[in-house]
Amino acid sequence: MAVTIKDVARAAGVSAATVTRALSNPEVVRPSTRDRVKEIAASLGYHPNRAARGLITGRTGNLGLLVPDLGNPFFPSIVKGVQARAHEADHAVFLADTDEDPAAEAGLVRKLAKQVDGVLLCSPRMAEAELRDLAAEVPVVLLYRRIPGVPSVTAEFLDGMRQAVSHLVALGHRRVAYVAGPRSSWANRERLRSLRTVAKGKVQLVETGNVAPQFEGGVSVADRVLAEQVTAVIAYNDLVALGLLHRFAARGVDVPGDISVLGFDDIPLSAMVHPALTTVALPKELAGQAGVDLLLRRQHKERRELPTQLMVRGSTGPA
Amino acid sequence: MAVTIKDVARAAGVSAATVTRALSNPEVVRPSTRDRVKEIAASLGYHPNRAARGLITGRTGNLGLLVPDLGNPFFPSIVKGVQARAHEADHAVFLADTDEDPAAEAGLVRKLAKQVDGVLLCSPRMAEAELRDLAAEVPVVLLYRRIPGVPSVTAEFLDGMRQAVSHLVALGHRRVAYVAGPRSSWANRERLRSLRTVAKGKVQLVETGNVAPQFEGGVSVADRVLAEQVTAVIAYNDLVALGLLHRFAARGVDVPGDISVLGFDDIPLSAMVHPALTTVALPKELAGQAGVDLLLRRQHKERRELPTQLMVRGSTGPA
DNA sequence: TTAGCGCATGAAAACCTTTACAGATCATGG
DNA sequence: CCATGATCTGTAAAGGTTTTCATGCGCTAA
């Protein structure tokens, strides 16, 4: 059926040990033998059985990636980055989508744990204690979340918010609404904290409550935002901002004439709508790549904080 | 380190064989023994090493999923469906994104082949011969592509196109542009064929050439569409349609007042823009699920063709 | 010439699980 | 009390790879 190392060994007239050496430790085998083995292996289409290899080396060559919702375009971008980088490093990627169900996450990770060398976790809502337990069981790198002692990749939220607020201030906005995301989300807490810090003394902040981090969340809160008499609104993320835009358009509210809208994430979609969404771009593919690097280099203490970038588009204008 | 079957066996005072039987073949072991083993296994946190199991059973409990571009929101939806269904069946999912590079696909699949029980292939562009070879090496189910002899999940393109054209005809459109996707894509050929069939005698079809199946493709062809003096345009997919909408908006062309726009796929995004996009909805998560079912042989059919549904939204109106 | 060394290779053990087969235990009927 | 059969459990092999250790060989230096 499948071609095994023995088939190659027999065809090359050497032992299995020599085959494995020729392929994964080439310098220890005589060049003539090595070349012959390699050639025969290639012609037979031999690839080592990774399960068997993993059994003895303890390393699987796989890694796991957990995301809360592929429906949010933020995450496919991360997946792309992880995927690409992992393949460069000759690793395969297990993907799990938890469908925004934090309860299921830990279980999923534990099931994957045996089959992977490490796990990348996009888990804004999982309890911190749970996360810490997990990190003790299997190498973990957190994506867009920070917990002391656990390696992580995040972005400079504070700087991003500063860019956003400066932009609005420059346009003359003095009273700005913030539509928050899920209260339990780390990213939400972080964004809110950053925003409060940078808003202090510069703009008056109106918090309009928490919504689901989705398009519908933005739609549902849009009318409340309008009632607040603000000249600009910052949304938890782009999806929520798009929900706002949608409802504003439906009500005939002009953006940015009547109100400016600012998002967070810079999902591809944001450049496609009209008016295009001004937003704080977070590195996504880059974050995925950085996460893989952290995981595979096993620098367990390390942490990376990537730069953010305000993307000024059509949805913001003078107050 | 990790807890193995021997640890459980020792703790329970039985042999490894009894442990494995107690857990995966419970009826053949005496109830009292079975319960004790199960209890101890649970308390030790024992999970069988899937690699080792796979080595002997020949089944891995994993499956592979290949998509051309996660950046196209069509595919994350499929991934979600696959993922959810696979987990229900206690299988894990390897994901590979080929970044629209058909050349890389076959290699990726072959590398994965040893680690999976089967592969789901979203591969609109791979050469048919290559695909057939692959299907001979590892169980394959094709998603949104059909090749004789290979199990596949597709949708009723013809019926979808019929719904779309009937809708336009009812609105009084008689001259309709079609923006085609990549010439090498199966879906493109299929859509074009269906469209020609249903358009015959009902509307005059203007084909405006092939574009990349992305937002930019739509943007780049929008002006050419306008020059054709049509009252409606059908795009290869939603992303292209959104590109059209974007460019139309920038040029001050009113949709649907000046021209109606119709997409294909129904990606989540299409309902979020303004005007919302009228489009032919293809089952995505459902297709993923059906694919998994086919692969795991929970279903004995070789092929499934899922229904499509025209979603009438704001981008189409009277001619 | 031979001891000694380095190098290339092979044999065998190990990784963890499942399963075919054999052995052990026990109850039952004769 | 023994033979028989049923039920339960243990032994050992198998699966494909990597790695440790040992072997054999040719060569150099004494």
Side-chain angles (χ1 to χ4, degrees):
Chain A
M1 186 65 77
V3 31
T4 81
I5 200 171
K6 283 182 187 169
D7 301 324
V8 179
R10 198 175 317 118
V14 298
S15 74
T18 300
V19 175
T20 188
R21 277 189 288 249
L23 296 178
S24 57
N25 216 5
E27 63 276 9
V28 306
V29 34
R30 182 159 40 136
S32 64
T33 315
R34 180 214 309 153
D35 294 344
R36 188 162 39 93
V37 169
K38 276 187 170 175
E39 194 182 328
I40 290 180
S43 78
L44 260 49
Y46 169 73
H47 292 280
N49 179 322
R50 300 185 85 134
R53 165 186 289 174
L55 209 49
I56 183 153
T57 62
R59 305 236 318 264
T60 61
N62 299 327
L63 45 83
L65 171 59
L66 199 87
V67 297
D69 178 19
L70 277 176
N72 180 343
F74 183 71
F75 296 110
S77 295
I78 288 191
V79 176
K80 264 196 107 137
V82 168
Q83 226 277 144
R85 194 75 168 147
H87 270 119
E88 279 177 30
D90 206 29
H91 280 237
V93 178
F94 277 116
L95 179 72
D97 178 315
T98 60
D99 228 358
E100 294 276 2
D101 176 10
E105 296 185 354
L108 268 174
V109 174
R110 290 205 167 83
K111 254 169 73 177
L112 243 51
K114 290 287 198 332
Q115 307 196 74
V116 301
D117 297 337
V119 181
L120 291 160
L121 243 44
C122 274
S123 189
R125 331 258 280 263
M126 199 194 292
E128 193 168 317
E130 183 86 74
L131 227 33
R132 225 187 280 275
D133 288 351
L134 236 36
E137 294 172 34
V138 54
V140 162
V141 169
L142 260 27
L143 260 28
Y144 279 103
R145 176 152 187 184
R146 199 161 50 226
I147 289 185
V150 183
S152 64
V153 178
T154 57
E156 297 166 345
F157 285 142
L158 186 64
D159 185 60
M161 276 297 184
R162 185 171 291 128
Q163 293 179 56
V165 169
S166 301
H167 172 64
L168 290 179
V169 167
L171 287 171
H173 297 276
R174 293 296 176 265
R175 187 175 154 81
V176 174
Y178 178 65
V179 177
R183 206 184 303 272
S184 57
S185 150
W186 181 85
N188 177 60
R189 291 196 300 273
E190 202 67 7
R191 284 171 201 192
L192 187 54
R193 200 166 57 79
S194 303
L195 181 54
R196 281 179 182 154
T197 304
V198 300
K200 187 161 289 176
K202 293 181 137 186
V203 300
Q204 185 188 353
L205 207 58
V206 181
E207 297 177 20
T208 58
N210 304 78
V211 301
Q214 280 134 23
F215 181 76
E216 290 73 21
V219 173
S220 71
V221 81
D223 297 311
R224 244 184 301 157
V225 170
L226 287 180
E228 291 287 357
Q229 307 279 1
V230 296
T231 60
V233 53
I234 299 178
Y236 168 67
N237 69 11
D238 282 1
L239 239 29
V240 171
L242 291 172
L244 292 172
L245 285 182
H246 187 86
R247 178 67 186 161
F248 290 166
R251 282 194 51 185
V253 175
D254 182 46
V255 174
D258 298 328
I259 189 170
S260 287
V261 177
L262 214 144
F264 219 97
D265 283 355
D266 191 31
I267 59 181
L269 183 38
S270 299
M272 301 182 190
V273 296
H274 196 90
L277 186 64
T278 295
T279 187
V280 177
L282 304 184
K284 290 167 285 294
E285 300 208 16
L286 186 59
Q289 291 174 18
V292 173
D293 288 343
L294 244 52
L295 201 52
L296 297 185
R297 305 245 169 89
R298 302 189 175 265
Q299 301 162 325
H300 282 278
K301 286 298 173 191
E302 201 169 328
R303 231 171 70 187
R304 284 198 65 185
E305 198 168 27
L306 306 171
T308 58
Q309 172 67 53
L310 178 71
M311 310 296 289
V312 176
R313 301 205 183 98
S315 69
T316 48
Chain B
M1 183 90 46
V3 31
T4 82
I5 200 172
K6 283 184 186 166
D7 301 324
V8 179
R10 197 176 319 118
V14 297
S15 74
T18 300
V19 175
T20 189
R21 277 190 287 250
L23 296 177
S24 58
N25 216 5
E27 63 276 11
V28 306
V29 34
R30 180 160 38 139
S32 63
T33 315
R34 180 216 308 153
D35 294 345
R36 187 160 42 92
V37 169
K38 276 188 170 174
E39 193 181 327
I40 290 180
S43 77
L44 259 48
Y46 168 73
H47 292 280
N49 180 322
R50 298 184 86 137
R53 165 185 290 175
L55 209 49
I56 183 154
T57 61
R59 305 238 317 267
T60 62
N62 300 327
L63 46 85
L65 172 58
L66 199 86
V67 297
D69 178 19
L70 277 175
N72 180 342
F74 183 72
F75 296 110
S77 296
I78 288 191
V79 176
K80 264 196 106 138
V82 168
Q83 225 279 142
R85 196 73 168 148
H87 270 117
E88 280 177 29
D90 206 29
H91 281 236
V93 177
F94 277 116
L95 179 73
D97 177 315
T98 60
D99 228 357
E100 294 277 2
D101 176 10
E105 296 185 352
L108 268 173
V109 174
R110 291 205 167 83
K111 255 169 72 176
L112 243 50
K114 292 286 201 333
Q115 307 196 75
V116 301
D117 297 337
V119 181
L120 291 160
L121 243 44
C122 274
S123 188
R125 330 261 278 266
M126 199 193 292
E128 193 168 319
E130 183 86 74
L131 228 33
R132 226 186 279 273
D133 288 351
L134 236 36
E137 294 172 35
V138 56
V140 162
V141 169
L142 259 27
L143 260 29
Y144 279 104
R145 177 152 185 182
R146 198 163 47 226
I147 289 184
V150 183
S152 64
V153 178
T154 57
E156 297 166 345
F157 285 141
L158 185 65
D159 185 61
M161 276 299 183
R162 185 171 292 126
Q163 293 179 56
V165 170
S166 301
H167 172 65
L168 291 179
V169 167
L171 288 170
H173 298 276
R174 292 295 175 266
R175 187 174 153 81
V176 174
Y178 177 66
V179 177
R183 207 183 304 270
S184 57
S185 149
W186 181 85
N188 178 61
R189 291 195 300 272
E190 202 67 8
R191 285 172 201 192
L192 188 54
R193 200 167 55 81
S194 303
L195 180 55
R196 282 178 182 154
T197 305
V198 301
K200 186 161 290 175
K202 293 181 137 184
V203 300
Q204 184 188 355
L205 208 57
V206 181
E207 296 177 20
T208 58
N210 303 79
V211 301
Q214 280 134 22
F215 181 76
E216 290 73 21
V219 173
S220 71
V221 81
D223 297 311
R224 244 185 300 156
V225 170
L226 287 181
E228 290 288 356
Q229 308 278 6
V230 296
T231 60
V233 53
I234 299 179
Y236 168 68
N237 68 11
D238 283 1
L239 239 29
V240 171
L242 291 172
L244 292 173
L245 285 182
H246 187 86
R247 178 65 186 161
F248 290 166
R251 281 194 54 186
V253 175
D254 182 44
V255 173
D258 299 327
I259 188 170
S260 287
V261 178
L262 214 144
F264 218 97
D265 283 357
D266 190 33
I267 60 180
L269 185 37
S270 299
M272 301 181 189
V273 296
H274 196 91
L277 186 65
T278 295
T279 188
V280 177
L282 303 184
K284 292 167 286 293
E285 300 206 16
L286 185 59
Q289 292 174 17
V292 173
D293 288 344
L294 243 53
L295 200 54
L296 299 183
R297 307 229 164 83
R298 315 184 116 219
Q299 198 102 20
H300 294 289
K301 291 184 175 181
E302 274 287 286
R303 234 173 68 187
R304 285 198 63 187
E305 198 167 27
L306 305 171
T308 58
Q309 172 66 52
L310 178 70
M311 311 296 289
V312 176
R313 302 206 182 97
S315 69
T316 48

